[in-house]
Amino acid sequence: MRTQIGIVGAGPAGLMLSHLLHLQGIESVVLEKHSRRYVEERVRAGVLDQGTVDLMLTTGVGRRMKELGLVHYGIELRFLNSGHRIDFKDLTGGLGITIYAQQEVVKDLTNARLAAGGQVFFEVGDVSLHDLDSQRPKIRYGGDGDASELQCDFIAGCDGSHGICRSSIPNGVLTIFERDYPFGWLGILAEAPPSSDELIYAYHERGFALLSMRSPTLSRLYLQCRRDEDINEWSDDKIWTELQRRLAAKKRTLVEGPIIQKGVTGMRSFVAEPMQYGRLFLAGDSAHIVPPTGAKGLNLAVADVRVLSAALGDFYASGDSDLLNKYSEVCLRRVWKAQRFSWWMTSMLHRFDDNGTYDRRRQLAELDYVTSSRAAATTLAENYVGLPIDPICVEHERKYQERSPR
Ligand code: FAD
Ligand code: DHB
């Protein structure tokens, strides 16, 4: 089999890339190791920043998001039992975020690809990459006498943090930058109306807590926990008691309800540089991971593939490899700003094991500053709603729209 772009992974990065390429008339094949059902039911991110929302809308995959997504123009930071609103609309000139589950984004993109005759193959095992430094890289998959080969012009490694693409790059090519955190998040999905109209990020002496939501009847909440926390030690009662404590405010309690999903997530900062080797381009979690406190992971994955599709679009339209050669550099500028922001939100809001008096006082001063200085609040707001898309990418999209108005 032959295609222009072989894409490994049908998460947000792989599917969005395939969609953006299709809009430019470029063919791709997506290979995903899990079943369609598994990928569409995996509970993960919930916050889409302004760039992701705009891209979904302008490329024709935003109809359900517009109908079902919850648009928010602020968040609350809660500490010392009182809440402080960061007003995104006011601070960023009208921008906001949309609460819309990652698995819904994945469903919308999968449906769009399949409706357009796109090739997305699920439950594909034994994927391996070959000849990455040649003009004809290949993907082999499906072992045990049933092996197939996909010949490509380029390969996009969109297979997440535990995929095989990054590790197919020879030793010594990549430089890895990373940081571990001494805690994790215990996340739940509960059949209970959200106890607040907006997200609440709570700093508490017992540890961080986050109130989020999925719909007017579904709450999504997180608690800082040990990184090796055993979820079986957390009964529903224990989870609600801890959430009530950490998210407490004067005369206000959380509305509780049956917990329908729970799990523990580790926290990590990670960047692999460069995000390219030969004709393999890494995008999304396969190249970088952020701790979830800044809600940036999915949004960064989408921003990467926006650059990659523009670069591939230029290549096929005019033979120009300039943007492809700059892919890693352009993406990493945004990636490192998201790293900084996610690290900063994490270190401001969590309890660290060595939280001596000095660190606690410093965190409280930081929170006091962010919620009382317009300049400080603006830096939080503009990062949370998403920094502007790189001008190189905007320029390509403008040129492309002029060539083929949709
Ligand atoms: P993935 O979604 O991981 O997709 C990779 C795909 O590749 C998967 O479907 C996988 O099955 C497949 N794959 C892996 N290996 C292979 C292989 N060998 N062969 C074929 N296929 C393979 N981000 C936000 O922006 N906002 C948030 O609010 C947010 N909250 C989060 C909350 C939690 C609890 C967690 C865990 C994450 C959160 N994130 C958030 C991060 C976000 O979920 C990820 O950054 C996002 O999924 C990255 O997308 P991706 O397409 O790069 O990778
Ligand atoms: C959600 C996840 C996050 O990581 C975050 O910072 C905010 C909200 C969520 O799942 O809703």
Side-chain angles (χ1 to χ4, degrees):
M1 210 171 28
R2 243 205 78 66
T3 189
Q4 288 174 295
I5 316 298
I7 300 176
V8 186
L15 291 167
M16 180 60 94
L17 178 63
S18 179
H19 173 61
L20 296 176
L21 292 172
H22 165 70
L23 294 179
Q24 301 178 88
I26 301 169
E27 191 199 68
S28 64
V29 173
V30 182
L31 303 173
E32 163 62 47
K33 86 170 171 192
H34 285 112
S35 68
R36 180 170 179 188
R37 183 159 175 200
Y38 177 91
V39 176
E40 290 187 350
E41 286 181 357
R42 197 166 38 188
V43 178
R44 292 176 88 181
V47 175
L48 307 187
D49 72 13
Q50 190 74 58
T52 303
V53 168
D54 292 346
L55 189 67
M56 301 254 309
L57 290 173
T58 55
T59 63
V61 285
R63 192 185 53 75
R64 281 178 73 242
M65 175 193 71
K66 209 160 174 225
E67 188 188 320
L68 303 171
L70 308 169
V71 180
H72 288 190
Y73 289 106
I75 55 166
E76 181 180 321
L77 293 181
R78 183 169 290 185
F79 54 100
L80 301 178
N81 287 330
S82 56
H84 306 257
R85 182 162 190 263
I86 306 287
D87 185 335
F88 295 160
K89 197 174 201 169
D90 174 42
L91 294 164
T92 64
L95 305 183
I97 51 151
T98 295
I99 307 296
Y100 188 62
Q102 175 166 331
Q103 70 266 36
E104 301 303 323
V105 174
V106 164
K107 275 182 211 160
D108 295 343
L109 288 167
T110 307
N111 286 335
R113 287 310 297 121
L114 296 178
Q119 306 187 78
V120 184
F121 299 122
F122 293 94
E123 297 180 73
V124 175
D126 294 326
V127 171
S128 59
L129 309 187
H130 305 270
D131 305 330
L132 295 175
D133 54 357
S134 78
Q135 302 278 87
R136 281 277 171 268
K138 296 168 193 69
I139 306 179
R140 295 205 183 105
Y141 57 96
D144 290 343
D146 190 23
S148 306
E149 185 174 275
L150 181 63
Q151 299 184 3
C152 318
D153 294 342
F154 298 94
I155 296 175
C158 301
D159 53 348
S161 53
H162 303 295
I164 51 96
C165 289
R166 191 180 64 243
S167 51
S168 306
I169 297 176
N171 286 340
V173 172
L174 298 179
T175 308
I176 304 296
F177 302 87
E178 57 190 326
R179 170 156 299 183
D180 272 328
Y181 299 86
F183 41 75
W185 277 15
L186 190 162
I188 65 160
L189 202 57
E191 283 173 344
S195 301
S196 158
D197 290 340
E198 293 181 333
L199 270 59
I200 303 174
Y201 286 78
Y203 173 83
H204 192 275
E205 58 191 6
R206 297 177 64 88
F208 170 74
L210 169 61
L211 181 155
S212 180
M213 62 206 67
R214 289 293 178 267
S215 75
T217 54
L218 260 191
S219 290
R220 176 87 167 134
L221 297 121
Y222 299 96
L223 279 174
Q224 178 182 349
C225 62
R226 289 201 320 266
R227 55 192 296 170
D228 58 351
E229 196 76 59
D230 179 359
I231 192 74
N232 297 317
E233 284 176 13
W234 286 81
S235 66
D236 291 7
D237 265 0
K238 185 172 165 186
I239 293 173
W240 279 117
T241 305
E242 196 57 32
L243 285 166
Q244 296 284 8
R245 278 188 184 134
R246 296 191 196 178
L247 285 158
K250 289 171 208 107
K251 295 203 195 111
R252 233 170 77 176
T253 48
L254 304 175
V255 182
E256 300 184 8
I259 295 179
I260 52 173
Q261 193 269 346
K262 56 183 170 181
V264 171
T265 314
M267 307 276 283
R268 207 168 152 219
S269 298
F270 174 96
V271 182
E273 290 190 15
M275 290 167 57
Q276 178 202 357
Y277 169 71
R279 289 204 160 206
L280 168 66
F281 292 83
L282 301 178
D285 277 16
S286 75
H288 42 72
I289 301 163
V290 284
T293 330
K296 281 284 152 255
L298 180 156
N299 296 297
L300 264 191
V302 169
D304 283 352
V305 298
R306 196 163 171 179
V307 178
L308 187 52
S309 89
L312 291 167
D314 268 1
F315 177 83
Y316 284 109
S318 61
D320 184 357
S321 314
D322 193 43
L323 190 46
L324 270 181
N325 295 334
K326 287 197 187 121
Y327 168 73
S328 180
E329 183 195 324
V330 169
C331 288
L332 285 168
R333 281 209 290 273
R334 184 183 196 83
V335 167
W336 274 108
K337 285 183 210 121
Q339 289 286 339
R340 184 205 71 81
F341 176 64
S342 305
W343 166 84
W344 173 70
M345 288 284 281
T346 304
S347 57
M348 176 169 71
L349 287 161
H350 288 75
R351 186 197 152 93
F352 284 74
D353 282 345
D354 58 351
N355 245 19
T357 315
Y358 180 90
D359 273 338
R360 190 166 153 71
R361 289 280 192 281
R362 183 190 49 75
Q363 285 175 315
L364 287 167
E366 183 99 49
L367 285 160
D368 188 12
Y369 178 51
V370 170
T371 52
S372 59
S373 150
R374 187 173 175 89
T378 305
T379 68
L380 192 158
E382 69 182 7
N383 280 278
Y384 201 96
V385 301
L387 295 171
I389 300 299
D390 194 286
I392 295 187
C393 205
V394 175
E395 173 61 14
H396 165 87
E397 288 170 2
R398 196 187 51 72
K399 259 191 336 210
Y400 169 71
Q401 265 160 8
E402 275 166 16
R403 276 203 301 266
S404 61
R406 274 194 292 278

mmCIF file of all heavy atoms in Angstrom, residues 44-47 185 199 201 210 212 214 220 222 292-293 295 384, ligand 2:
data_model
loop_
_atom_site.group_PDB
_atom_site.id
_atom_site.type_symbol
_atom_site.label_atom_id
_atom_site.label_comp_id
_atom_site.label_asym_id
_atom_site.label_seq_id
_atom_site.Cartn_x
_atom_site.Cartn_y
_atom_site.Cartn_z
ATOM 1 N N ARG A 44 -10.320 11.784 29.100
ATOM 2 C CA ARG A 44 -9.073 12.538 29.309
ATOM 3 C C ARG A 44 -9.384 14.010 29.390
ATOM 4 O O ARG A 44 -10.140 14.443 30.246
ATOM 5 C CB ARG A 44 -8.061 12.202 28.222
ATOM 6 C CG ARG A 44 -7.587 10.773 28.378
ATOM 7 C CD ARG A 44 -6.670 10.341 27.299
ATOM 8 N NE ARG A 44 -5.274 10.633 27.578
ATOM 9 C CZ ARG A 44 -4.299 10.348 26.763
ATOM 10 N NH1 ARG A 44 -4.545 9.761 25.618
ATOM 11 N NH2 ARG A 44 -3.054 10.629 27.063
ATOM 12 N N ALA A 45 -8.839 14.798 28.475
ATOM 13 C CA ALA A 45 -8.919 16.265 28.603
ATOM 14 C C ALA A 45 -10.336 16.797 28.446
ATOM 15 O O ALA A 45 -11.224 16.120 27.931
ATOM 16 C CB ALA A 45 -8.032 16.885 27.542
ATOM 17 N N GLY A 46 -10.493 18.047 28.868
ATOM 18 C CA GLY A 46 -11.810 18.659 28.734
ATOM 19 C C GLY A 46 -11.789 20.114 28.296
ATOM 20 O O GLY A 46 -12.819 20.654 27.913
ATOM 21 N N VAL A 47 -10.615 20.743 28.338
ATOM 22 C CA VAL A 47 -10.568 22.184 28.051
ATOM 23 C C VAL A 47 -9.979 22.427 26.656
ATOM 24 O O VAL A 47 -8.830 22.072 26.388
ATOM 25 C CB VAL A 47 -9.694 22.919 29.103
ATOM 26 C CG1 VAL A 47 -9.546 24.389 28.742
ATOM 27 C CG2 VAL A 47 -10.291 22.762 30.496
ATOM 28 N N TRP A 185 -2.704 12.949 40.070
ATOM 29 C CA TRP A 185 -4.091 13.422 40.197
ATOM 30 C C TRP A 185 -5.013 12.212 40.211
ATOM 31 O O TRP A 185 -4.878 11.328 39.359
ATOM 32 C CB TRP A 185 -4.496 14.276 39.000
ATOM 33 C CG TRP A 185 -4.104 15.711 39.028
ATOM 34 C CD1 TRP A 185 -3.196 16.301 39.850
ATOM 35 C CD2 TRP A 185 -4.601 16.741 38.151
ATOM 36 N NE1 TRP A 185 -3.095 17.639 39.541
ATOM 37 C CE2 TRP A 185 -3.951 17.928 38.507
ATOM 38 C CE3 TRP A 185 -5.520 16.766 37.103
ATOM 39 C CZ2 TRP A 185 -4.188 19.145 37.848
ATOM 40 C CZ3 TRP A 185 -5.763 17.958 36.440
ATOM 41 C CH2 TRP A 185 -5.109 19.143 36.823
ATOM 42 N N LEU A 199 -14.732 26.656 36.133
ATOM 43 C CA LEU A 199 -13.758 25.771 36.765
ATOM 44 C C LEU A 199 -13.190 26.427 38.025
ATOM 45 O O LEU A 199 -12.983 27.647 38.054
ATOM 46 C CB LEU A 199 -12.593 25.496 35.799
ATOM 47 C CG LEU A 199 -12.742 24.282 34.882
ATOM 48 C CD1 LEU A 199 -13.960 24.385 34.006
ATOM 49 C CD2 LEU A 199 -11.492 24.088 34.049
ATOM 50 N N TYR A 201 -9.875 26.101 40.522
ATOM 51 C CA TYR A 201 -8.564 25.555 40.866
ATOM 52 C C TYR A 201 -8.312 25.928 42.327
ATOM 53 O O TYR A 201 -8.180 27.112 42.651
ATOM 54 C CB TYR A 201 -7.470 26.170 39.987
ATOM 55 C CG TYR A 201 -7.455 25.660 38.564
ATOM 56 C CD1 TYR A 201 -8.374 26.111 37.617
ATOM 57 C CD2 TYR A 201 -6.503 24.724 38.156
ATOM 58 C CE1 TYR A 201 -8.353 25.638 36.311
ATOM 59 C CE2 TYR A 201 -6.469 24.245 36.847
ATOM 60 C CZ TYR A 201 -7.398 24.703 35.932
ATOM 61 O OH TYR A 201 -7.377 24.228 34.644
ATOM 62 N N LEU A 210 -9.431 20.296 41.856
ATOM 63 C CA LEU A 210 -9.964 20.998 40.679
ATOM 64 C C LEU A 210 -11.403 20.569 40.437
ATOM 65 O O LEU A 210 -11.699 19.373 40.430
ATOM 66 C CB LEU A 210 -9.100 20.638 39.461
ATOM 67 C CG LEU A 210 -9.595 21.041 38.065
ATOM 68 C CD1 LEU A 210 -9.746 22.553 37.931
ATOM 69 C CD2 LEU A 210 -8.612 20.540 37.003
ATOM 70 N N SER A 212 -14.186 20.614 37.654
ATOM 71 C CA SER A 212 -14.493 20.857 36.245
ATOM 72 C C SER A 212 -15.807 20.142 35.934
ATOM 73 O O SER A 212 -16.522 19.691 36.843
ATOM 74 C CB SER A 212 -13.340 20.380 35.365
ATOM 75 O OG SER A 212 -13.626 20.621 34.004
ATOM 76 N N ARG A 214 -18.474 18.298 32.513
ATOM 77 C CA ARG A 214 -18.628 17.868 31.127
ATOM 78 C C ARG A 214 -19.958 18.326 30.535
ATOM 79 O O ARG A 214 -20.078 18.464 29.336
ATOM 80 C CB ARG A 214 -18.526 16.337 31.027
ATOM 81 C CG ARG A 214 -17.119 15.809 31.250
ATOM 82 C CD ARG A 214 -16.186 16.237 30.116
ATOM 83 N NE ARG A 214 -14.818 15.778 30.331
ATOM 84 C CZ ARG A 214 -13.879 16.495 30.917
ATOM 85 N NH1 ARG A 214 -14.131 17.715 31.345
ATOM 86 N NH2 ARG A 214 -12.661 16.017 31.074
ATOM 87 N N ARG A 220 -16.704 16.730 36.578
ATOM 88 C CA ARG A 220 -15.367 16.116 36.477
ATOM 89 C C ARG A 220 -14.531 16.787 37.564
ATOM 90 O O ARG A 220 -14.430 18.034 37.586
ATOM 91 C CB ARG A 220 -14.795 16.396 35.080
ATOM 92 C CG ARG A 220 -13.381 15.913 34.874
ATOM 93 C CD ARG A 220 -13.356 14.481 34.428
ATOM 94 N NE ARG A 220 -12.058 14.049 33.938
ATOM 95 C CZ ARG A 220 -11.481 12.899 34.301
ATOM 96 N NH1 ARG A 220 -12.055 12.089 35.150
ATOM 97 N NH2 ARG A 220 -10.312 12.544 33.800
ATOM 98 N N TYR A 222 -10.905 16.587 40.241
ATOM 99 C CA TYR A 222 -9.575 16.010 40.454
ATOM 100 C C TYR A 222 -9.060 16.374 41.841
ATOM 101 O O TYR A 222 -9.350 17.457 42.365
ATOM 102 C CB TYR A 222 -8.571 16.565 39.440
ATOM 103 C CG TYR A 222 -8.876 16.276 37.992
ATOM 104 C CD1 TYR A 222 -9.550 17.209 37.197
ATOM 105 C CD2 TYR A 222 -8.461 15.081 37.386
ATOM 106 C CE1 TYR A 222 -9.801 16.967 35.849
ATOM 107 C CE2 TYR A 222 -8.708 14.834 36.037
ATOM 108 C CZ TYR A 222 -9.383 15.778 35.275
ATOM 109 O OH TYR A 222 -9.626 15.532 33.948
ATOM 110 N N PRO A 292 -1.115 18.352 33.775
ATOM 111 C CA PRO A 292 -2.413 18.821 33.276
ATOM 112 C C PRO A 292 -2.923 20.139 33.871
ATOM 113 O O PRO A 292 -3.954 20.646 33.415
ATOM 114 C CB PRO A 292 -3.372 17.674 33.631
ATOM 115 C CG PRO A 292 -2.696 16.918 34.712
ATOM 116 C CD PRO A 292 -1.235 17.093 34.537
ATOM 117 N N THR A 293 -2.220 20.707 34.822
ATOM 118 C CA THR A 293 -2.742 21.880 35.538
ATOM 119 C C THR A 293 -3.025 23.085 34.628
ATOM 120 O O THR A 293 -3.863 23.916 34.951
ATOM 121 C CB THR A 293 -1.754 22.301 36.660
ATOM 122 O OG1 THR A 293 -1.082 21.125 37.123
ATOM 123 C CG2 THR A 293 -2.461 22.973 37.798
ATOM 124 N N ALA A 295 -4.028 22.711 31.454
ATOM 125 C CA ALA A 295 -4.972 22.240 30.424
ATOM 126 C C ALA A 295 -4.422 22.458 29.005
ATOM 127 O O ALA A 295 -5.121 22.910 28.113
ATOM 128 C CB ALA A 295 -6.332 22.923 30.588
ATOM 129 N N TYR A 384 -3.766 30.688 29.318
ATOM 130 C CA TYR A 384 -4.831 29.693 29.479
ATOM 131 C C TYR A 384 -5.712 29.631 28.232
ATOM 132 O O TYR A 384 -6.063 28.545 27.753
ATOM 133 C CB TYR A 384 -5.675 30.015 30.719
ATOM 134 C CG TYR A 384 -6.431 28.820 31.246
ATOM 135 C CD1 TYR A 384 -5.926 28.047 32.284
ATOM 136 C CD2 TYR A 384 -7.651 28.446 30.691
ATOM 137 C CE1 TYR A 384 -6.612 26.939 32.758
ATOM 138 C CE2 TYR A 384 -8.344 27.341 31.157
ATOM 139 C CZ TYR A 384 -7.825 26.594 32.197
ATOM 140 O OH TYR A 384 -8.504 25.494 32.656
HETATM 141 C C1 DHB B 2 -9.817 19.476 32.994
HETATM 142 C C2 DHB B 2 -8.559 18.928 32.962
HETATM 143 C C3 DHB B 2 -7.476 19.719 33.262
HETATM 144 O O1 DHB B 2 -6.233 19.212 33.212
HETATM 145 C C4 DHB B 2 -7.628 21.057 33.593
HETATM 146 O O2 DHB B 2 -6.544 21.808 33.896
HETATM 147 C C5 DHB B 2 -8.894 21.595 33.612
HETATM 148 C C6 DHB B 2 -9.996 20.796 33.314
HETATM 149 C C7 DHB B 2 -10.981 18.599 32.666
HETATM 150 O O3 DHB B 2 -10.776 17.393 32.459
HETATM 151 O O4 DHB B 2 -12.104 19.094 32.620
#
